[in-house]
């Protein structure tokens, strides 16, 4: 029997356009929507295919997980795609996420430094591997502590797959609603409580820095 948590039910509403010009497109991606097509006809509906209806030249630069919402940038020309992709590869972009995590995260600021790699028998899960994993670092800053959860700002230094989700789970504070890495009461939420709030890039035309933000929906 298929686990209901993993049945693909993309949201029906159109993505929110935050900014568009002659080179770039900035979008607020919904939770539950793939960034790019998945395997199988039932996973063809995705953010980039929806964007292509209005922006036929749209090109992928980076991705957000299916369950993660928030700011994404796309190129509208091959030059913009190359320029932005290089910024991500060379860690010239600045990304800031907001999450709700299980328990009280202490101290108020810190860094998780744990190497990650794919957990092949359990894909798409990732795992910590100190021998073969790729270096991965996430900085955090507590925004608000409650009795049984913490609202935290997460700032990835590297950009590994599922990095924030694994790092928080390994620290003992899984992100609420995470279908892969949270268990018990921490998993019992209507969505993954992780949102890409802010993205800072250099514009491919001229190199001026711009920051784009999307309101946190939880």
């Amino acid at each position: 029997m298929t686990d209901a948590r993993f049945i693909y039910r993309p949201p029906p509403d159109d993505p929110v356009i935050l900014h568009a010009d002659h080179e770039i497109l900035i979008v607020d991606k919904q939770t539950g929507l793939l960034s790019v097509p998945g395997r199988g006809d039932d996973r063809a509906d995705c953010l980039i295919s929806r964007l292509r209806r209005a922006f036929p030249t749209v090109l992928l630069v980076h991705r957000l997980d299916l369950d993660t919402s928030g700011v994404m940038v796309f190129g509208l020309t091959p030059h913009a795609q190359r320029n932005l992709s290089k910024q991500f590869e060379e860690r010239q972009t600045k990304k800031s996420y907001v999450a709700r995590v299980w328990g009280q995260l202490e101290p108020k600021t810190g860094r998780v430094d744990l190497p990650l790699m794919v957990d092949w028998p359990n894909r798409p899960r990732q795992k910590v591997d100190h021998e073969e994993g790729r270096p991965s670092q996430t900085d955090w800053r507590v925004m608000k502590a409650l009795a049984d959860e913490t609202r935290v700002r997460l700032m990835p230094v590297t950009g590994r797959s599922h990095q924030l989700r694994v790092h928080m789970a390994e620290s003992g504070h899984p992100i609420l609603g995470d279908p892969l890495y949270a268990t018990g009461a921490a998993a019992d939420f209507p969505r993954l409580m992780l949102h890409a709030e802010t993205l800072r890039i250099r514009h491919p035309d001229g190199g001026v820095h711009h920051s784009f933000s999307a309101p946190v929906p939880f």
Side-chain angles (χ1 to χ4, degrees):
M1 181 180 295
T2 302
D3 191 326
R5 295 177 302 168
F6 302 108
I7 296 174
Y8 186 43
R9 297 189 182 94
D13 47 313
D14 292 329
V16 175
I17 307 302
L18 300 173
H19 172 86
D21 59 38
H22 62 294
E23 290 276 14
I24 65 173
L25 177 65
I26 310 293
V27 180
D28 183 0
K29 187 188 88 68
Q30 311 100 302
T31 184
L33 183 65
L34 290 166
S35 297
V36 297
R39 293 183 179 179
D41 293 340
D42 61 327
R43 290 183 167 242
D45 184 12
C46 63
L47 178 57
I48 197 167
S49 67
R50 294 184 182 189
L51 294 174
R52 196 167 283 129
R53 301 166 192 164
F55 302 92
T57 65
V58 67
L59 297 166
L60 186 72
V61 173
H62 67 125
R63 307 182 190 193
L64 289 179
D65 293 346
L66 163 72
D67 299 305
T68 305
S69 58
V71 180
M72 286 186 67
V73 59
F74 293 83
L76 293 178
T77 67
H79 162 72
Q81 183 190 41
R82 288 192 298 270
N83 182 284
L84 292 165
S85 296
K86 185 176 181 181
Q87 291 183 50
F88 276 88
E89 291 168 6
E90 297 182 354
R91 303 181 190 174
Q92 297 174 353
T93 62
K94 297 294 183 183
K95 295 171 282 185
S96 176
Y97 293 70
V98 172
R100 290 168 57 192
V101 303
W102 182 257
Q104 293 193 353
L105 182 61
E106 295 179 343
K108 297 297 183 183
T109 63
R111 170 174 288 193
V112 180
D113 187 353
L114 294 171
L116 302 177
M117 67 176 293
V118 64
D119 185 356
W120 288 106
N122 300 298
R123 286 177 293 176
R125 286 179 60 94
Q126 308 292 309
K127 66 178 183 178
V128 173
D129 191 305
H130 291 279
E131 295 183 357
E132 299 183 28
R134 300 172 70 186
S136 308
Q137 296 89 31
T138 300
D139 291 333
W140 87 77
R141 184 170 69 250
V142 170
M143 301 172 67
K144 184 178 183 180
L146 302 176
D148 54 3
E149 70 172 74
T150 304
R151 180 176 291 263
V152 61
R153 191 173 305 282
L154 301 174
M155 294 147 292
V157 179
T158 53
R160 311 302 181 203
S161 180
H162 292 188
Q163 175 178 313
L164 304 181
R165 299 165 67 177
V166 179
H167 276 175
M168 289 296 97
E170 287 291 325
S171 71
H173 302 278
I175 298 174
L176 302 180
D178 194 328
L180 290 177
Y181 304 102
T183 58
D188 190 20
F189 286 80
R191 60 157 289 176
L192 174 70
M193 298 297 172
L194 178 64
H195 178 76
E197 183 184 32
T198 303
L199 175 63
R200 181 174 173 82
I201 61 168
R202 287 183 294 103
H203 198 285
D205 184 4
V208 176
H209 283 92
H210 294 274
S211 290
F212 301 96
S213 297
V216 180
F218 51 77

